[in-house]
Amino acid sequence: MLKPSKRHFLRYDAQTYETQGFIQVSGNVQKLAQNPRFWQVTATAKTQEPVTGEQQTKHFKFKPTERLKLSELAPLINDFIHAGDDFLPDCVSVMVCARVMTEGGV
C-alpha cells in the first residue's frame, strides 16, 4: 500500500521559492522525482489580518491521481493553492511539503 514517505520529501515556501529555492530536501527525492511518481502534497498558508495583526493558518492536502515528475507537479500545486484565493491578499507564507508515495511510507 502506498503511503507518504517519511524520508523522501521536500519542503519550500511558495512565496520565496524563486529566490531562495527549497528549504529542505530529504532522502533521494530529487533522484526519485526524475521519473513519474505518486505524490502527497500538504501546504500551510499563514495569513495576517492587516488591521489587527492577528495570524491564522489554513491547511491544504491533496494527492494527484496520476504519476507525475516533480517538474509536472509544481503547476498543480500552484493551481491548488490559488483555487482558494480568498486568503491570498493577506498571505504571509505558504509552506509546501511534497512527499513521494512509497510502499509502506518508507
Side-chain angles (χ1 to χ4, degrees):
M1 175 177 217
L2 291 178
K3 293 184 178 183
S5 176
K6 295 175 182 158
R7 287 192 304 193
H8 307 292
F9 66 90
L10 53 87
R11 190 179 321 268
Y12 65 96
D13 185 336
Q15 292 186 304
T16 61
Y17 173 74
E18 285 193 29
T19 58
Q20 297 179 8
F22 295 118
I23 294 171
Q24 183 178 9
V25 178
S26 181
N28 294 329
V29 71
Q30 289 181 310
K31 180 181 173 188
L32 294 171
Q34 299 303 312
N35 296 315
R37 305 277 177 191
F38 286 111
W39 296 84
Q40 175 184 284
V41 178
T42 55
T44 303
K46 188 180 287 186
T47 61
Q48 184 168 350
E49 172 63 40
V51 176
T52 65
E54 178 186 354
Q55 289 192 345
Q56 295 181 355
T57 57
K58 184 173 183 172
H59 301 281
F60 307 93
K61 184 176 186 179
F62 73 100
K63 293 179 187 173
T65 56
E66 58 198 39
R67 293 176 185 262
L68 301 165
K69 294 180 182 180
L70 182 59
S71 59
E72 298 167 332
L73 183 63
L76 293 179
I77 294 171
N78 289 338
D79 291 346
F80 191 82
I81 291 170
H82 286 95
D85 66 358
D86 59 326
F87 68 90
L88 288 176
D90 302 326
C91 194
V92 177
S93 72
V94 180
M95 294 302 295
V96 177
C97 182
R99 295 181 180 276
V100 175
M101 300 291 284
T102 60
E103 271 307 314
V106 180

